[in-house]
Amino acid sequence: MIAEAGEQLTDAELAARYRRDPELFTLVHDRHFRDIYLYVAGRLDTQIAEDITAETFLLAFDHRDRFDPERGGLRPWLFGLATNLIARHRRKEIRHYRALARLGPEPVMEGHENRVVASVTAQGMQPYLARALAALSPGERDVLLLVALGQLGYDEVAQALGIALGTVGSRLSRARAKIQALVDKETARG
């Protein structure tokens, strides 16, 4: 029951059909791999991102019979699987942010005319943001990074993490406030 050439399946149709025809799972992979990879790469480093993204799709394929379209779409389900796999690497993630915070901004090299002010400003903010991210609770960090890196909407974040929509809003609000306060405090110290 392979999709006919040129046939565009929605995620819901694809989810219903790939259970019976596992070869259709390649469409799920092709459609969502990039977004999952970019999200994981933003949370961890690119080498681990390749492994975790591959593991996400392997897990999704192995558990395709457990996917319940009544609970949400394929995209949030895949992001939820990826987030759970990232949680296994949480200690390493926190160490990574703490190491970035200790590094401080890279010095601006003379003679590089192609550096723009935004890039220099972002580099200068990196240690402050890294410290702020490390200070967030795991739930706040997951919500913030799913929105910022995964570009998921509140409802998709709720589905991905299996939490209420209101919880997404409150965690995101708390995370933003904490980051702003910590960055303001650090930059005031200058």
Side-chain angles (χ1 to χ4, degrees), residues 35-107:
D35 291 339
I36 299 297
Y37 173 79
L38 290 174
Y39 167 68
V40 175
R43 295 286 306 265
L44 304 169
D45 66 42
T46 55
Q47 291 174 338
I48 293 173
E50 291 175 15
D51 293 339
I52 295 224
T53 303
E55 191 174 347
T56 298
F57 284 94
L58 179 62
L59 189 63
F61 182 79
D62 288 345
H63 293 105
R64 65 188 179 278
D65 59 329
R66 295 183 191 172
F67 173 71
D68 182 4
E70 298 295 319
R71 292 189 57 216
L74 276 174
R75 185 173 187 265
W77 182 61
L78 291 168
F79 273 99
L81 292 174
T83 299
N84 289 337
L85 290 171
I86 288 169
R88 293 182 185 172
H89 298 274
R90 193 161 309 278
R91 286 191 187 124
K92 184 173 183 177
E93 178 184 39
I94 290 172
R95 286 192 305 265
H96 172 74
Y97 287 135
R98 288 182 179 151
L100 285 175
R102 288 189 301 270
L103 288 177
E106 291 182 19

Side-chain angles (χ1 to χ4, degrees), residues 2 9 21-22 28 42 45 48 52-53 68 80 88 91 95-96 105-106 135 141-142 152 155 157 176 178 181 190:
I2 293 290
L9 298 174
D21 186 357
V28 173
D45 66 42
I48 293 173
I52 295 224
T53 303
D68 182 4
R88 293 182 185 172
R91 286 191 187 124
R95 286 192 305 265
H96 172 74
E106 291 182 19
R141 191 171 34 257
D142 286 343
L152 270 65
D155 58 332
V157 172
R176 287 176 174 161
K178 285 179 181 179

Side-chain angles (χ1 to χ4, degrees), residues 75-189:
R75 185 173 187 265
W77 182 61
L78 291 168
F79 273 99
L81 292 174
T83 299
N84 289 337
L85 290 171
I86 288 169
R88 293 182 185 172
H89 298 274
R90 193 161 309 278
R91 286 191 187 124
K92 184 173 183 177
E93 178 184 39
I94 290 172
R95 286 192 305 265
H96 172 74
Y97 287 135
R98 288 182 179 151
L100 285 175
R102 288 189 301 270
L103 288 177
E106 291 182 19
V108 177
M109 303 293 242
E110 294 295 323
H112 288 124
E113 294 86 23
N114 61 345
R115 289 195 186 240
V116 293
V117 173
S119 176
V120 172
T121 302
Q123 288 177 358
M125 292 301 296
Q126 182 180 351
Y128 306 125
L129 290 173
R131 268 195 288 279
L133 284 170
L136 295 177
S137 74
E140 292 165 346
R141 191 171 34 257
D142 286 343
V143 168
L144 178 69
L145 295 175
L146 279 167
V147 170
L149 298 177
Q151 298 182 345
L152 270 65
Y154 284 29
D155 58 332
E156 292 176 310
V157 172
Q159 290 173 28
L161 298 177
I163 58 176
L165 189 60
T167 303
V168 172
S170 63
R171 285 183 184 176
L172 187 60
S173 179
R174 282 194 311 270
R176 287 176 174 161
K178 285 179 181 179
I179 285 182
Q180 187 64 54
L182 288 167
V183 168
D184 288 348
K185 181 180 174 182
E186 292 292 332
T187 55
R189 284 189 214 170

